[in-house]
Amino acid sequence: MAEEHLDVLTKSGHKTGISKPRHARPFSISFFGGDVHRDGDYHRAVHMWIFAENTQQLLLQRRADCKDSWPGLWDISSAGHISAGDSSLVTARRELQEELGIVLPKDAFEMIFIFLQECVINDGKYINNEFNDVYLVTTLDPIPLEAFTLQESEVSAVKYISYEEYRRLLAKEDPDYVPYDVNGQYGRLFDIIEQRYKENTVARSLALQKQLRRYASVSLNAELTGVTDADSEALVLLVKAATIMDEIFNLQVWYSNPVLRDWLKEHADASELDKLKWMYYVINKSPWSCLDEDEAFLTTADSAIKLLPEATQQVTGWKGLEYRAAFPMLKPPGANFYPPDMDKKEFELWKDSLTKDKQDATGFFNVIKRHSEFGLESFLSNDTADVTNPFVDSTHDLCIVPFSQEYNPFLKKAAELLCKAGDLTSSSSLKRLLHSKANAFLSNDYYDSDIAWMELDSKLDVTIGPYETYEDALFGYKATFEAFIGVRDDKATAQLKLFGDNLRILEQNLPMDGMYKSEDVIAAPIRVIQLLYNAGDVKGPQTVAFNLPNDERIVNDRGTSMVMLKNVSEAKFKHILQPISDVCITKEQQELVDFESFFTHTICHECCHGIGPHTITLPNGQKSTVRLELQELHSALEEAKADIVGLWALRFLICQDLLSKSLLKSMYISFLAGCFRSVRFGLQEAHGKGQALQFNWLYDKGAFILHPDETFSVDFSRVEGAVESLSREILTIQAKGDKEAANLLLQKYGKMTQPLKIALQKLEKIQVPVDIAPIFPIANKILE
């Protein structure tokens, strides 16, 4: 049997690159433990707690008498070291199976915290410096004791005990129990359980009602005049295809998210609280609230109940193990694009080891999985086809799985619907788009379909597929699926040609060093639509426009295209921006806040995504992209760039007599009111963080002024210089791919400052909605 090695960590928990044997070698000076414990090296392990919800009891195991630490004492349900190269979740699942004979899927494990245990026992011969990933498995009822299959070398017995009684025993340091400091880090286990199951239902309902009131429910209608009968038939299929984007997006957020969604929907009529849970889930499309820094508004105690008849050995009269499908309290930064226990360093080491697939690893259209997870499934199902090493790849544990494979059942169905719609439509460009997008869903090559989308010239406007990368907060690499279906507003589209025509001129005049400017900027075609339906990654705050594709190959070859959602913009201005202005802007400047300024800046914002640095040359001469270099900081900085450079661009066009001078003051004041609107999205969200950066910079430069009556105004003598200086700062950081400078800028300015707090408190007091929750009557009728 191969000797087990453990990764040696630093005191702060980072890998040193060294691994050591866990068990003592023959004739070792340590009888009690392996090299790691003899030398006091920091290492990793997992703790798994099984909690029975209905009896409020925890499962304990009694450690075997032969154990080299705390023999014969009652301890955690199950635990084990994480071997070198192994992963936390794979280890947790395997240890539970080996020690107790319980086979559970990964959605049964809720990671609740990391606990650092530092202690010395056995007369100084066993030094335990261990970072423990603590998992909670929530079952409905206690598992019958006879259902367990105990590993005799590790476990001598199991029992259930009330969590409150267990806490009391630990607090008084009962000698029969492995010691844990319940007043320290480990007390969080008991606090989490108590908070979950002793919460006041009325108070919780009131809290959810308050969260829901931040969204104004708005019906978005669109005039279908001009849509042919053939396109009307195609529309039915397109709306149905769009709903599949919801299915995929739900899965992209978190792997147990679809189960949670179905459970909440099924139980929405059970009580007023259950109804509120479902309503707020529908807006956020996950258990994490978009407007509250992604704080969880649900817990695993609210989640779906799943039955596993064969999770343990059979017991007469017992139907099997019922558990809650878990999700973590903290939203995973890597969403469901990466293994939940993967950190950035592991990814980077793996990526650097790749040759041909290096670019794919950071690509938009795939997920990253573990070889060991595939091997574990075979091991847990007793498939002995490959028993040599079911857990760890010989070199690296990570691998690439294309979207076309990962979401195949969904994409196959969506492709069929798009093909049928393409066959029906009377528009040749829409036909080309739908057929090429259907092919892309199955081939995983989106280049041709994105070109077809850019060249779309149809009354019926469709955007569908994987595009935005905001959900990947770990790196900003992976794209989420979304859909927007609308009717083109021909009059408004014709009026906006000006912006696309002047994109090259704007690029050449950008406030940054000439060496960074691009010679081959391509004008972005702009389409204005009335939105009929959206789906997929359209959670929380609603977008008023988008500029796509994000694929740098296409941006470099063909530029981008822009779609403006005019009825969404009108709804936001009426229900949100106007009331914000009435409260936060000085009376003298309030009248200058108007829809034309708001909408025109939105157009310019989207145009400015298409100018400035994209593909860059690093100081060492290597070619790269801004997205790759800035990683998780890219989205917030890119949104700030588009906003602030958009303001600069509007002034430039006004000075060229291409836009009306009446916009000159109103655009700055409408932008100031818009800052308070976007910051309310939360600083975890790219637009909100980017907006905080801009507001705080302009306030710092004296361009925005806070008055004694807690209203704000624009200092027109300073605002132009402040806008230009911030534009230069962001554009230069992007051009250099300077992640350190981006981090410093966002740390200094992308935060909640006192002036912002003052404005937000005023808006909270009069309960101005933060955003809209759209209702789509036409699409809803189709889906009925």
Side-chain angles (χ1 to χ4, degrees), residues 459-582:
K459 186 70 177 176
L460 200 57
D461 200 278
V462 180
T463 303
I464 188 166
Y467 286 107
E468 303 293 3
T469 61
Y470 303 122
E471 203 66 22
D472 178 4
L474 200 62
F475 292 108
Y477 292 157
K478 307 303 176 188
T480 47
F481 282 80
E482 62 187 4
F484 294 87
I485 300 168
V487 178
R488 188 173 63 193
D489 185 322
D490 293 318
K491 183 181 175 185
T493 298
Q495 290 172 338
L496 300 180
K497 192 170 179 291
L498 161 79
F499 292 94
D501 289 348
N502 285 279
L503 215 55
R504 290 186 182 188
I505 297 167
L506 290 171
E507 173 76 25
Q508 292 312 310
N509 287 277
L510 282 174
M512 67 172 176
D513 195 309
M515 66 185 284
Y516 300 129
K517 293 175 184 177
S518 175
E519 294 295 328
D520 51 1
V521 169
I522 300 156
I526 305 172
R527 313 195 291 261
V528 181
I529 70 168
Q530 303 289 342
L531 186 65
L532 284 170
Y533 187 62
N534 66 11
D537 189 0
V538 291
K539 67 184 194 308
Q542 297 293 298
T543 188
V544 294
F546 48 87
N547 188 34
L548 297 172
N550 290 320
D551 188 333
E552 284 91 357
R553 297 175 304 163
I554 298 175
V555 173
N556 292 331
D557 293 348
R558 300 289 296 269
T560 58
S561 279
M562 186 189 317
V563 176
M564 313 289 301
L565 314 177
K566 193 170 186 184
N567 52 351
V568 177
S569 293
E570 288 166 341
K572 290 201 182 204
F573 184 82
K574 177 183 175 183
H575 292 279
I576 301 160
L577 202 70
Q578 198 70 65
I580 287 175
S581 166
D582 294 343

Side-chain angles (χ1 to χ4, degrees), residues 207-484:
L208 280 168
Q209 285 169 3
K210 187 178 178 183
Q211 288 175 306
L212 278 161
R213 279 198 297 270
R214 295 178 296 182
Y215 290 92
S217 186
V218 178
S219 184
L220 293 181
N221 263 309
E223 187 59 58
L224 293 179
T225 307
V227 176
T228 65
D229 290 343
D231 280 1
S232 294
E233 283 186 66
L235 176 62
V236 174
L237 298 170
L238 292 172
V239 169
K240 289 177 179 176
T243 63
I244 298 171
M245 302 303 105
D246 262 337
E247 299 283 339
I248 299 174
F249 177 68
N250 271 301
L251 188 56
Q252 289 183 305
V253 173
W254 181 244
Y255 53 70
S256 64
N257 200 33
V259 176
L260 174 64
R261 176 203 59 204
D262 294 345
W263 175 267
L264 292 172
K265 184 178 182 180
E266 184 185 339
H267 292 81
D269 296 329
S271 69
E272 181 62 23
L273 177 58
D274 287 308
K275 182 182 177 183
L276 293 169
K277 287 180 196 174
W278 170 241
M279 289 170 67
Y280 200 50
Y281 177 91
V282 168
I283 287 172
N284 292 282
K285 299 195 175 187
S286 83
W288 301 287
S289 175
C290 299
L291 295 179
D292 299 294
E293 314 286 317
D294 286 330
E295 182 183 343
F297 63 92
L298 299 173
T299 72
T300 295
D302 302 306
S303 191
I305 297 168
K306 296 174 78 173
L307 172 65
L308 291 176
E310 298 178 355
T312 65
Q313 64 179 343
Q314 299 290 305
V315 174
T316 306
W318 183 54
K319 64 180 177 181
L321 187 152
E322 288 182 292
Y323 73 95
R324 293 277 187 184
F327 53 86
M329 291 178 289
L330 294 178
K331 185 177 182 185
N336 196 20
F337 297 121
Y338 311 92
D341 54 358
M342 185 204 82
D343 58 23
K344 293 182 79 167
K345 187 168 184 180
E346 182 185 4
F347 179 87
E348 294 291 359
L349 287 169
W350 166 67
K351 184 193 76 174
D352 291 344
S353 75
L354 297 174
T355 50
K356 61 174 183 172
D357 290 333
K358 187 169 288 192
Q359 199 170 352
D360 287 343
T362 60
F364 290 107
F365 311 125
N366 60 62
V367 298
I368 307 302
K369 298 269 194 176
R370 290 195 181 280
H371 289 298
S372 57
E373 193 172 336
F374 300 125
L376 181 68
E377 298 304 332
S378 298
F379 175 78
L380 294 179
S381 62
N382 295 316
D383 181 353
T384 56
D386 177 18
V387 295
T388 51
N389 192 339
F391 307 117
V392 184
D393 182 72
S394 57
T395 50
H396 287 276
D397 195 21
L398 302 177
C399 60
I400 298 166
V401 180
F403 281 175
S404 55
Q405 181 180 329
E406 180 73 359
Y407 311 122
N408 182 264
F410 300 114
L411 292 174
K412 199 173 175 184
K413 188 176 173 186
E416 287 172 8
L417 290 164
L418 293 187
C419 276
K420 287 177 183 176
D423 292 342
L424 285 170
T425 180
S426 52
S427 162
S428 58
S429 66
L430 181 57
K431 187 186 293 289
R432 181 187 160 212
L433 167 64
L434 298 179
H435 284 148
S436 61
K437 189 65 72 174
N439 290 335
F441 282 169
L442 302 179
S443 69
N444 218 52
D445 183 354
Y446 286 87
Y447 191 93
D448 289 343
S449 68
D450 280 342
I451 297 293
W453 177 82
M454 292 178 72
E455 295 175 350
L456 182 63
D457 182 17
S458 165
K459 186 70 177 176
L460 200 57
D461 200 278
V462 180
T463 303
I464 188 166
Y467 286 107
E468 303 293 3
T469 61
Y470 303 122
E471 203 66 22
D472 178 4
L474 200 62
F475 292 108
Y477 292 157
K478 307 303 176 188
T480 47
F481 282 80
E482 62 187 4
F484 294 87

Side-chain angles (χ1 to χ4, degrees), residues 647-703:
L647 270 185
W648 168 86
L650 284 179
R651 179 178 173 273
F652 179 86
L653 293 171
I654 290 166
C655 292
Q656 301 295 309
D657 292 326
L658 294 169
L659 286 173
S660 168
K661 284 188 166 54
S662 65
L663 285 172
L664 197 54
K665 289 186 175 180
S666 64
M667 70 181 191
Y668 290 124
I669 300 163
S670 296
F671 176 78
L672 170 57
C675 284
F676 304 129
R677 181 183 75 87
S678 296
V679 166
R680 297 171 86 204
F681 298 158
L683 302 195
Q684 291 296 105
E685 195 270 346
H687 299 79
K689 195 172 192 68
Q691 199 75 68
L693 158 63
Q694 294 167 84
F695 173 88
N696 290 325
W697 179 286
L698 296 179
Y699 183 84
D700 195 46
K701 306 299 180 195

Side-chain angles (χ1 to χ4, degrees), residues 163-174 177-183 190:
Y163 82 89
E164 292 173 322
E165 173 64 16
Y166 181 50
R167 176 159 54 182
R168 281 195 293 271
L169 290 166
L170 291 178
K172 71 175 191 179
E173 299 181 9
D174 189 296
Y177 294 81
V178 174
Y180 294 101
D181 181 7
V182 291
N183 296 314
F190 305 99

